[in-house]
């Protein structure tokens, strides 16, 4: 008797990727996709996906894990808890930050984060290198790290302890250009934020709801425009992180039309929350930077998905609602003293699936493009994001009819859920990482330290 050809065959599902969808089977050998089609030969293991949709695992290229912020606050999630949460939501690859602070050497920072991830991560993972100090040996370290496969850099144009001056930004952009790396930018004008914040505090406007006014839209508009021009000036490839305004979208459109080497993303909270959420009594939960904007901005972001905005990330920035996180400076702290960020890793895919697939706001192919294919392509994660033969068998089997009311807390270590109480249609049923079932009907079947580090291939426009 002929032995089975495949390790695992997932049968009778609707296979969907960024190119479209069709009924069929998908076969796995040694953790990689070996074949797709109809009536494939038997596998050692068979999974019946009838009535289900099978999609590539999510790739989230913007998440803060086990990281100390520029203000000195450690976020709530370790690599274990963050990636546990990611898997439950169908994300199988995470790109988080190796956060340099002034006085640290880039090589040491990467070594430290690599140890933390190797011990705890359950998703496959890579790093963005936050560059906050270009002095001493750091530019040399940066070149070495890029050559070693760390081909994404993060810089800030705001925040006291981590922002770079324009001359340092130019140095970083040229280094990245010459070495084949991508530079991601948190783009807000620091002086405008400082001025707006000082004015609000002087007027006694200290409550959390004033946070949005302290980050005026012009601060984002000016910085995005400047970073696009810096990209043109240096020829460097730049990703603008977390665009929140309609003007930001338009700046990116015009820069691309001029031939600038610009990419851009937005995040789930900008697509599903507006500034009005900061009027709630528990508004500290929702503080993030840039802040949520207006309905017209939200509409512009949705319209730009798959065009000016090439991917949607979580910007998972988890802080507990206690003295370890949001209320480090007390429960009545003024808004500049409240830690910024909200959890997003687990619900990025379910929120977007409900909107784009279940409710038709974009469709299945665009959903996969924004959440898996495009991030994998842009960041050079060659084995992720699609059903291509030889790709890693990172697969999510979705129950498209399941209605799931979101609980008050998720599988992270944050203790609250920004979308608690909402009901979504469509939810991950089984999650496979490199061919292994790691989540089955809500049960975690893997352990810390099983994720693999990923090298980024040389960045290009691909």
């Amino acid at each position: 008797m002929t032995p089975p050809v495949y390790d695992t065959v997932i049968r009778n599902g609707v296979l969907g990727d960024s190119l479209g969808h069709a009924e069929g089977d998908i076969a796995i050998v040694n953790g990689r996709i070996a074949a797709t089609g109809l009536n494939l030969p038997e596998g050692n293991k068979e999974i019946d996906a009838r009535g289900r949709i099978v999609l590539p695992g999510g790739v989230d290229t913007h998440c803060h894990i086990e990281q100390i912020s520029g203000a000195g606050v450690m976020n709530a999630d370790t690599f274990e808890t963050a990636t546990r949460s990611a898997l439950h939501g169908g994300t199988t690859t995470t790109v988080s930050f190796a956060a340099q602070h002034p006085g640290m050497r880039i090589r040491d920072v990467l070594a430290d984060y690599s140890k933390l991830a190797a011990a705890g991560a359950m998703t496959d993972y890579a790093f963005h290198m936050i560059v906050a100090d270009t002095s001493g040996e750091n530019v040399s370290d940066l070149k070495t790290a890029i050559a070693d496969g760390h081909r994404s850099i993060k810089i800030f144009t705001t925040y006291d302890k981590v922002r770079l001056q324009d001359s340092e930004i130019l140095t970083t952009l040229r280094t990245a250009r010459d070495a084949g790396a991508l530079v991601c930018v948190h783009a807000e004008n620091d002086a405008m934020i400082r001025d707006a914040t000082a004015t609000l505090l002087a007027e006694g406007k200290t409550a959390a709801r004033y946070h949005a006014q302290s980050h005026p839209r012009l601060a984002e508009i000016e910085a995005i425009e400047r970073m696009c021009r810096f990209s043109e000036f240096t020829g460097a490839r730049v990703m603008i992180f977390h665009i929140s305004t309609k003007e930001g979208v338009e700046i990116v459109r015009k820069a691309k039309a001029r031939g600038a080497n610009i990419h851009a993303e937005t995040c789930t909270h900008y697509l599903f929350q507006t500034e009005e959420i900061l009027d709630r009594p528990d508004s500290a939960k929702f503080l993030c930077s840039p802040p949520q904007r207006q309905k017209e901005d939200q509409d512009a972001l949705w319209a730009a998905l798959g065009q000016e905005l090439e991917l949607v990330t979580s910007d998972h920035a988890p802080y507990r609602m206690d003295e370890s996180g949001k209320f480090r400076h007390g429960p009545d702290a003024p808004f500049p003293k409240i830690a910024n960020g909200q959890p997003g890793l687990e619900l990025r895919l379910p929120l977007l699936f409900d909107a784009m697939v279940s409710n038709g706001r974009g469709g299945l192919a665009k959903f996969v493009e924004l959440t898996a294919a495009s991030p994998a392509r842009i960041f050079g994660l060659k084995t992720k994001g699609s059903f291509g033969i030889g790709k890693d068998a990172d697969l999510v089997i979705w129950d498209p009819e399941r209605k799931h009311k979101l609980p008050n807390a998720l599988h992270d270590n944050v203790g609250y859920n920004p979308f608690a109480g909402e009901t979504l249609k469509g939810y991950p049923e089984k999650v496979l990482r490199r061919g292994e079932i790691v989540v089955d009907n809500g049960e975690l079947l893997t352990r810390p330290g099983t994720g693999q580090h990923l090298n980024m291939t040389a960045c290009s426009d691909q």
Side-chain angles (χ1 to χ4, degrees):
M1 183 175 178
T2 303
V5 175
Y6 304 120
D7 297 332
T8 303
V9 177
I10 301 172
R11 295 194 184 278
N12 306 315
V14 173
L15 308 183
D17 64 12
S18 62
L19 301 177
H21 63 276
E23 291 185 7
D25 309 332
I26 187 165
I28 301 165
V29 173
N30 294 327
R32 293 182 179 264
I33 295 170
T36 58
L38 292 170
N39 302 314
L40 294 180
E42 182 182 0
N44 281 311
K45 183 174 187 175
E46 297 270 323
I47 298 173
D48 186 4
R50 194 180 308 274
R52 303 295 187 258
I53 299 174
V54 185
L55 303 178
V59 179
D60 193 339
T61 53
H62 190 167
C63 36
H64 302 268
I65 301 174
E66 211 157 337
Q67 179 187 335
I68 297 177
S69 73
V73 184
M74 173 62 77
N75 65 32
D77 271 324
T78 64
F79 276 93
E80 177 180 346
T81 62
T83 58
R84 175 182 69 199
S85 181
L87 289 178
H88 276 282
T91 288
T92 51
T93 299
T94 54
V95 184
S96 58
F97 298 91
Q100 183 205 33
H101 295 276
M104 297 178 176
R105 281 198 66 171
I106 287 172
R107 69 176 187 184
D108 297 333
V109 171
L110 276 170
D112 290 344
Y113 276 91
S114 295
K115 288 177 184 177
L116 293 171
M122 290 184 262
T123 61
D124 290 348
Y125 60 90
F127 298 113
H128 308 286
M129 297 176 289
I130 291 181
V131 175
D133 184 350
T134 60
S135 66
E137 301 298 318
N138 280 314
V139 172
S140 176
D141 283 0
L142 187 57
K143 293 176 182 178
T144 299
I146 294 169
D148 289 341
H150 299 285
R151 293 184 177 273
S152 180
I153 298 161
K154 167 75 177 291
I155 62 173
F156 292 85
T157 64
T158 188
Y159 300 136
D160 265 352
K161 295 183 179 179
V162 294
R163 69 185 177 98
L164 295 182
Q165 300 300 316
D166 283 357
S167 60
E168 297 170 304
I169 292 173
L170 291 173
T171 295
T172 304
L173 290 172
R174 289 192 177 103
T175 301
R177 176 200 64 197
D178 294 344
L182 173 64
V183 178
C184 305
V185 186
H186 179 127
E188 291 183 283
N189 182 287
D190 187 71
M192 289 183 184
I193 293 170
R194 286 171 181 270
D195 186 84
T197 299
T199 299
L200 289 164
L201 295 179
E203 294 172 350
K205 296 176 178 178
T206 62
R209 68 177 179 272
Y210 293 109
H211 170 73
Q213 295 178 42
S214 75
H215 286 250
R217 62 194 306 116
L218 278 171
E220 176 177 288
I221 293 164
E222 187 280 335
I224 292 175
E225 179 69 50
R226 185 157 45 98
M227 290 305 104
C228 288
R229 297 298 183 178
F230 275 27
S231 172
E232 292 175 272
F233 180 65
T234 61
R237 188 166 174 254
V238 168
M239 163 72 73
I240 306 295
F241 268 171
H242 45 48
I243 287 182
S244 68
T245 59
K246 62 179 183 180
E247 292 93 343
V249 170
E250 182 62 13
I251 292 166
V252 169
R253 185 191 68 77
K254 290 179 177 178
K256 285 177 171 287
R258 294 193 303 268
N261 206 347
I262 294 291
H263 302 279
E265 57 146 62
T266 194
C267 307
T268 38
H269 39 281
Y270 303 119
L271 295 172
F272 295 101
Q273 297 170 356
T274 60
E275 184 180 330
E276 284 69 31
I277 203 166
L278 298 183
D279 291 330
R280 289 176 39 162
D282 57 350
S283 58
K285 289 180 178 179
F286 309 101
L287 260 64
C288 56
S289 294
Q292 301 88 340
R293 305 293 184 181
Q294 301 301 318
K295 178 65 163 56
E296 62 182 352
D297 297 297
Q298 199 174 66
D299 290 343
L301 298 178
W302 277 102
L305 294 182
Q307 300 178 77
E308 294 85 3
L309 302 177
E310 298 168 74
L311 57 156
V312 179
T313 65
S314 69
D315 194 3
H316 180 76
Y319 297 99
R320 294 182 68 84
M321 293 287 285
D322 59 26
E323 65 279 357
S324 74
K326 293 281 187 179
F327 300 132
R328 185 186 185 200
H329 296 281
D332 298 318
F335 67 83
K337 297 292 186 180
I338 300 173
N340 272 214
Q342 54 181 292
L345 256 173
E346 188 165 335
L347 292 183
R348 179 183 68 116
L349 294 182
L351 285 166
L352 288 166
F353 187 98
D354 174 78
M356 300 184 71
V357 182
S358 300
N359 289 291
R361 198 169 187 177
L364 190 61
K366 183 180 281 191
F367 169 77
V368 176
E369 173 68 14
L370 292 168
T371 62
S374 182
R377 182 173 62 250
I378 289 171
F379 286 93
L381 302 170
K382 289 291 192 181
T383 63
K384 305 297 184 182
S386 81
F387 287 154
I389 304 304
K391 299 276 190 179
D392 288 340
D394 294 352
L395 306 171
V396 183
I397 301 175
W398 291 78
D399 180 348
E401 299 302 319
R402 176 181 169 184
K403 292 185 178 179
H404 181 75
K405 186 175 181 179
L406 297 177
N408 290 329
L410 302 168
H411 294 90
D412 50 36
N413 190 41
V414 188
Y416 78 90
N417 170 10
F419 298 94
E422 295 189 21
T423 298
L424 305 180
K425 184 179 180 184
Y427 219 77
E429 184 174 83
K430 286 182 171 60
V431 180
L432 287 77
R433 181 203 60 207
R434 285 177 274 110
E436 172 191 6
I437 298 176
V438 289
V439 174
D440 192 356
N441 285 299
E443 181 182 0
L444 185 70
L445 301 178
T446 190
R447 64 187 190 282
T450 51
Q452 292 184 357
H453 175 257
L454 303 169
N455 283 330
M456 298 176 177
T457 58
C459 294
S460 68
D461 289 323
Q462 300 181 48

